[in-house]
């Protein structure tokens, strides 16, 4: 029996470029503000909001609204499921690269 | 290939996010190193070779050697450690407000502060006979562990966990190993077949140097990534 193609392990929710970026940044810190994430990924508020809603619905990211002094502030946190999903996605991408290199070991030739 | 490009982009983003999130660790590392270095003045002969040495339990100066004043040593650590923790809290709160990233620094504060509290409680337990140097060397090991250096080492390990830094974990383990070895035998620096001709000041330097090197490297990296 042959191994399933690694492309089948890619998760559509996570694989999207912006969402993969969000999960990658959140994986490096216990919590991060909406503004900091927006600046790091160079996104607009609306764009980031849209992707965060998808990730929140999938329970990959936890959103907490609060205040920093008198200013409203939204804190974002990667959930355990989100961390696992990111790990699986990276593993699938690496497997894909390995498979590609094995099939075509000398692409420049 | 798209997957390769995606992985490269993920790696770039991860490095930038890591530098931003953990770029503030140099300050608590420097603070702990300075606290250690400052403790050198607590010893009567930190670098010199005295004709005789007596060390009183608990080793409030840190290492098993003659201290100037046990009360001053006690005050140094029991004021110094909370001060370092308070400075660390202010630093991380400031970074939270300005950079919008949180670090699990309360773990560092809880472990270092908690371990210091445990040390105070254990040291206050009444004993029958005070242990002397000969008893200590021949197996009465644990009273030597009543040293403020172990709460400091535990704090550095906790900081390593909070900041996801293997280097800090190693630095904390290094301080703990040196403290256990040096406080578990008398005179200082016993090895099979003799005693190393180093004094408490030298050993404290050995404990602090990894932290200073770590802080310098991290600060340089942080400045380079986000000038």
């Amino acid at each position: 029996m042959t191994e399933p193609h690694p492309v089948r392990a890619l998760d559509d929710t996570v694989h999207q470029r912006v969402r993969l970026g969000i999960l990658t940044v959140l994986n490096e810190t216990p919590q991060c503000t909406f503004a900091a994430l927006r600046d790091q990924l160079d996104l607009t508020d609306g764009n980031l909001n849209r992707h965060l809603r998808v990730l929140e619905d999938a329970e990959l990211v936890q959103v907490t609204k609060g205040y920093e002094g008198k200013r409203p502030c939204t804190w974002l946190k990667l959930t355990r499921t989100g961390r696992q999903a990111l790990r699986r996605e990276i593993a699938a991408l690496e497997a894909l690269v390995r498979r590609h290199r094995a099939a075509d070991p000398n692409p420049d030739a | 290939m798209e997957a390769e490009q995606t992985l490269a982009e993920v790696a770039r983003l991860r490095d930038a996010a890591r530098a931003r999130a953990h770029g503030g660790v140099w300050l608590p590392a420097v603070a702990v190193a300075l606290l250690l270095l400052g403790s050198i003045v607590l010893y009567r002969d930190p670098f010199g070779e005295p004709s005789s040495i007596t060390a009183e339990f608990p080793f409030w100066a840190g290492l098993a050697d003659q201290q100037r004043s046990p009360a001053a040593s006690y005050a140094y650590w029991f004021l110094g450690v909370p001060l370092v923790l308070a400075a660390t809290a202010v630093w991380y709160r400031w970074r939270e407000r300005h950079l919008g990233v949180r670090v699990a620094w309360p773990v560092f504060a809880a472990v270092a502060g908690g371990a210091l509290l445990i040390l105070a409680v254990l040291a206050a337990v009444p004993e029958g006979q005070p242990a002397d140097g000969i008893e200590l060397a021949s197996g009465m090991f644990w009273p030597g562990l009543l040293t403020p250096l172990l709460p400091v080492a535990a704090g550095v390990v906790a900081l390593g966990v909070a900041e996801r830094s293997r280097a800090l974990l190693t630095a904390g383990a290094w301080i703990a190993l040196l403290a256990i070895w040096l406080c578990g035998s008398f005179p200082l620096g016993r090895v099979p077949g003799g005693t190393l001709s180093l004094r408490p000041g030298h050993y404290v330097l050995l404990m602090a140097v990894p932290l200073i090197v770590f802080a310098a490297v991290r600060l340089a990296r942080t400045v380079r990534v986000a000038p």
Side-chain angles (χ1 to χ4, degrees):
Chain A
M1 204 174 130
T2 57
E3 229 176 84
H5 196 285
V7 81
R8 291 176 64 185
L10 295 175
D11 179 340
D12 281 346
T13 309
V14 179
H15 188 67
Q16 200 280 338
R17 197 178 60 84
V18 174
R19 292 198 284 270
L20 188 57
I22 292 171
L23 297 180
T24 301
V25 172
L26 292 182
N27 192 37
E28 293 305 320
T29 174
Q31 284 188 65
C32 174
T33 61
F34 180 94
L37 186 63
R38 178 198 61 204
D39 296 346
Q40 270 187 281
L41 296 173
D42 201 16
L43 298 170
T44 62
D45 284 2
N47 198 1
L48 179 56
N49 243 328
R50 195 161 50 85
H51 289 294
L52 277 176
R53 210 165 303 136
V54 174
L55 292 171
E56 197 183 7
D57 288 346
E59 296 181 349
L60 303 180
V61 168
Q62 186 185 316
V63 180
T64 312
K65 292 183 189 297
Y67 284 88
E68 192 63 61
K70 286 181 179 173
R71 290 168 52 198
C73 183
T74 303
W75 286 95
L76 309 166
K77 183 183 176 183
L78 195 62
T79 63
R80 184 180 293 231
T81 317
R83 207 171 296 279
Q84 288 165 350
L86 177 65
R87 209 174 295 145
R88 275 196 306 271
E89 186 68 16
I90 300 293
L93 285 168
E94 285 168 348
L96 203 58
V97 170
R98 275 198 304 276
R99 191 181 174 110
H100 181 75
R101 282 186 185 149
D104 188 6
N106 195 7
D108 297 331
Chain B
M1 187 195 177
E2 196 200 321
E4 253 173 319
Q5 285 170 357
T6 306
L7 282 173
E9 179 60 18
V10 163
R12 189 198 61 75
L13 205 53
R14 187 193 55 216
D15 291 346
R18 192 170 290 174
R20 191 181 173 103
H22 301 291
V25 67
W26 64 271
L27 190 123
V30 165
V32 173
L34 290 178
L35 187 70
L36 286 170
L37 292 174
S39 75
I40 288 175
V41 300
L42 302 175
Y43 300 95
R44 180 147 296 179
D45 291 294
F47 296 102
E49 214 43 81
S51 52
S52 69
I53 306 167
T54 55
E56 297 162 40
F57 273 120
F59 302 136
W60 288 126
L63 296 175
D65 207 90
Q66 198 156 359
Q67 48 193 328
R68 288 177 198 276
S69 153
S73 302
Y74 183 90
Y76 177 82
W77 291 106
F78 280 84
L79 291 175
V81 171
L83 266 176
V84 165
L85 299 182
T88 302
V90 170
W91 170 245
Y92 278 119
R93 284 289 296 145
W94 180 85
R95 280 179 57 83
E96 250 177 58
R97 280 195 301 276
H98 284 79
L99 297 177
V101 286
R102 269 186 188 154
V103 172
W105 64 267
V107 175
F108 165 57
V111 169
L116 196 70
L117 198 67
I118 290 170
L119 170 69
V121 171
L122 286 177
V125 172
E127 286 178 42
Q129 283 271 314
D132 62 36
I134 296 165
E135 273 180 302
L136 180 67
S138 61
M140 194 160 170
F141 180 73
W142 77 267
L145 302 185
L146 295 180
T147 164
L149 291 171
L150 285 182
V152 170
V156 173
V157 169
L159 186 63
V161 172
E163 292 279 9
R164 302 180 192 178
S165 162
R166 280 202 195 99
L168 267 185
L169 289 174
T170 310
W174 170 243
I175 295 169
L177 277 175
L178 279 178
I180 291 168
W181 167 49
L182 294 166
C183 294
S185 64
F186 190 84
L188 214 56
R190 270 164 71 110
V191 285
T195 303
L196 298 182
S197 60
L198 294 174
R199 299 288 298 134
H202 300 119
Y203 288 116
V204 171
L205 279 174
L206 281 177
M207 291 177 181
V209 162
L211 287 173
I212 291 169
V213 172
F214 169 81
V217 170
R218 275 303 182 93
L219 180 59
R221 198 183 296 167
T222 305
V223 169
R224 202 173 56 233
V225 172

